[in-house]
């Protein structure tokens, strides 16, 4: 999709199937196809937004990239190295460059550890610096995320949700990573606090040259922070384009339906809703052909015959829909 020399991360044909059904550990049964043949690339210094309904596989994708969950198959190339083929020692070394910010800023922090211990733990694990140098680094990190060095002796329960997420961000920055998976980092926060945390992430990206995979179901947040956006449905990417293209020229009917549901803070402006009927199909036995066809408002009989592939319909705008032809250039 992009020039490989510009890419920090490349995901190729990533799959993650969770076995279910009869037999020991699900042997001989079906599998939940949580992530099914997903490919995308993230350029250095950009934010790639991954969007979709709950259960579409976006968080599983992020965890597979980090190998917090081992993928079923596929390739994940980070800075020219295959993350899925390296051994445990090499992976541990590479994790200095790859970190994650979790969704819940309370459950992701050990309540028995002080902020100093939480933020400094990665430095201890990777044997970075002396005790004094680690203490100074923690103070520097807390200042970087808008907290005070005096907070280092406190515990997670003494902070608000937004402050706890800042602690999680400080921990993710401890080893000077190049790439951070932001797994719905603001969805558990109040709206006013969400804006503060998103602005902090953008400021840190500019100051430190970070690259983000930003996973979210909050479309307004994704539009604000993302350079490019991938729309995911039932384990598949259905549209990938720049943020501007996605939000001003959506082509896939699922993307259009998602965007039509964004509330407009003006009662005089009416937006045409594109309601989706029915429930999301099971990922154990997804529909034949296009997985979205059972809810699609423009479905045709032929949509059940063949699974659509991501096709570039205009410059760097990819869509997986047989009804959106490459000659539909605007």
């Amino acid at each position: 999709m992009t020039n490989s020399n510009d890419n920090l991360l490349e995901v190729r044909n990533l799959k993650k199937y969770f076995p279910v059904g009869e037999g020991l550990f699900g042997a001989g049964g079906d599998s939940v196809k949580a992530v099914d043949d997903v490919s995308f690339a993230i350029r250095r210094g950009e934010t790639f937004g991954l969007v979709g309904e709950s259960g579409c596989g976006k968080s599983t994708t992020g965890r597979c990239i980090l190998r917090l969950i081992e993928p079923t198959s596929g390739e994940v190339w980070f800075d020219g190295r295959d993350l899925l083929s390296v051994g445990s020692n090499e992976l541990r070394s590479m994790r200095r460059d790859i970190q994650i910010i979790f969704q819940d800023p309370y459950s992701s922090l050990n309540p028995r550890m002080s902020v100093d211990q939480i933020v400094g733990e990665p430095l201890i694990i990777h044997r970075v610096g002396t005790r004094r140098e680690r203490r100074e680094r923690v103070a520097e990190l807390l200042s970087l995320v808008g907290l005070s060095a005096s907070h280092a002796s406190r515990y997670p329960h003494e902070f608000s949700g937004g402050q706890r997420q800042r602690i999680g961000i400080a921990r993710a920055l401890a080893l000077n990573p190049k790439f951070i998976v932001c797994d719905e980092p603001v969805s558990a926060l109040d709206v006013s606090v969400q804006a503060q945390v998103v602005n902090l992430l953008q400021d840190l990206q500019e100051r430190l040259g970070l690259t983000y995979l930003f996973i979210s179901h909050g479309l307004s947040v994704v539009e604000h922070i993302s350079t490019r956006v991938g729309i995911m449905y039932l384990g598949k990417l259905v549209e990938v384009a720049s943020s501007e293209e996605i939000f001003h020229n959506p082509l896939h009917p699922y993307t259009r339906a998602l965007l039509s549901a964004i509330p407009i803070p003006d009662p005089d402006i009416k937006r045409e809703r594109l309601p989706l009927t029915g429930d999301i199909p099971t990922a154990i036995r997804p529909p034949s052909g296009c997985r979205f066809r059972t809810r699609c408002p423009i479905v045709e009989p032929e949509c059940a015959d063949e699974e659509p592939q991501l096709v570039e319909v205009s410059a760097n705008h990819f869509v997986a829909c047989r009804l959106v032809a490459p000659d539909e250039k605007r």
Side-chain angles (χ1 to χ4, degrees):
M1 293 183 184
T2 58
N3 187 330
S4 59
N5 293 330
D6 298 331
N7 297 332
L8 180 64
L9 181 82
E10 294 186 32
V11 177
R12 304 173 185 171
N13 309 112
L14 186 67
K15 295 183 180 181
K16 179 57 186 177
Y17 296 170
F18 294 97
V20 295
E22 299 179 356
L24 184 63
F25 304 115
D30 293 319
S31 295
V32 175
K33 298 177 176 62
V35 180
D36 197 6
D37 200 21
V38 167
S39 300
F40 60 90
I42 304 179
R43 304 185 187 99
R44 299 175 191 273
E46 81 166 346
T47 299
F48 185 87
L50 196 56
V51 181
E53 295 168 295
S54 296
C56 71
K58 54 188 185 296
S59 290
T60 303
T61 299
R63 283 168 166 73
C64 284
I65 289 172
L66 295 167
R67 283 184 64 179
L68 298 179
I69 299 174
E70 288 294 335
T72 302
S73 64
E75 300 177 30
V76 178
W77 290 84
F78 176 77
D79 210 8
R81 301 162 72 186
D82 186 3
L83 276 174
L84 304 188
S85 66
V86 299
S88 57
N89 290 335
E90 189 176 359
L91 178 63
R92 177 173 174 170
S93 176
M94 293 179 70
R95 280 202 168 126
R96 296 181 63 155
D97 292 328
I98 309 172
Q99 293 293 317
I100 183 170
I101 301 169
F102 293 98
Q103 175 178 355
D104 188 340
Y106 190 76
S107 64
S108 64
L109 304 178
N110 190 332
R112 297 185 178 184
M113 295 174 67
S114 66
V115 171
D116 178 65
Q117 293 172 317
I118 291 170
V119 178
E121 187 177 29
L123 303 173
I124 296 174
I125 292 173
H126 290 269
R127 301 176 182 177
V128 176
T130 64
R131 181 177 297 180
R132 179 179 177 179
E133 289 171 338
R134 289 195 291 266
R135 194 180 305 117
E136 292 174 349
R137 176 60 175 161
V138 169
E140 177 189 352
L141 289 165
L142 292 178
S143 175
L144 192 63
V145 299
L147 297 174
S148 168
S150 63
H151 290 137
S153 61
R154 299 184 186 179
Y155 289 81
H157 72 272
E158 299 180 72
F159 296 90
S160 67
Q163 289 175 319
R164 286 197 291 264
Q165 194 60 291
R166 288 173 187 265
I167 296 168
I169 294 171
R171 177 179 58 186
L173 295 174
L175 297 169
N176 292 314
K178 298 178 182 177
F179 175 70
I180 298 178
V181 174
C182 305
D183 187 9
E184 304 207 36
V186 298
S187 63
L189 306 176
D190 294 336
V191 174
S192 60
V193 180
Q194 286 184 13
Q196 295 173 17
V197 173
V198 168
N199 290 336
L200 172 63
L201 289 171
Q202 289 183 306
D203 180 58
L204 292 170
Q205 182 176 43
E206 184 176 341
R207 295 173 62 180
L208 304 177
L210 298 170
T211 302
Y212 294 145
L213 171 62
F214 193 90
I215 299 168
S216 179
H217 59 260
L219 292 167
S220 298
V221 175
V222 170
E223 181 180 16
H224 180 70
I225 195 173
S226 299
T227 312
R228 290 187 302 127
V229 177
I231 306 296
M232 203 165 179
Y233 181 81
L234 207 63
K236 291 276 190 181
L237 278 174
V238 297
E239 187 164 2
V240 179
S242 68
S243 180
E244 183 179 0
E245 273 284 295
I246 287 289
F247 286 92
H248 294 92
N249 187 32
L251 297 180
H252 196 282
Y254 177 60
T255 308
R256 291 175 176 174
L258 284 181
L259 296 182
S260 75
I262 299 177
I264 300 176
D266 188 338
D268 296 326
I269 299 178
K270 302 296 182 182
R271 171 177 279 162
E272 181 183 358
R273 289 294 306 274
L274 301 175
L276 299 179
T277 59
D279 296 325
I280 300 176
T282 174
I284 298 177
R285 296 184 183 89
S288 63
C290 176
R291 296 190 177 189
F292 183 60
R293 67 178 176 82
T294 57
R295 304 171 72 199
C296 183
I298 59 171
V299 64
E300 294 183 353
E302 293 79 4
C303 295
D305 298 335
E306 185 177 350
E307 187 174 284
Q309 303 299 313
L310 278 175
V311 176
E312 188 172 15
V313 297
S314 62
N316 296 316
H317 194 154
F318 298 81
V319 183
C321 179
R322 61 179 300 277
L323 302 178
V324 180
D327 59 355
E328 290 186 28
K329 296 181 180 178
R330 290 140 311 275

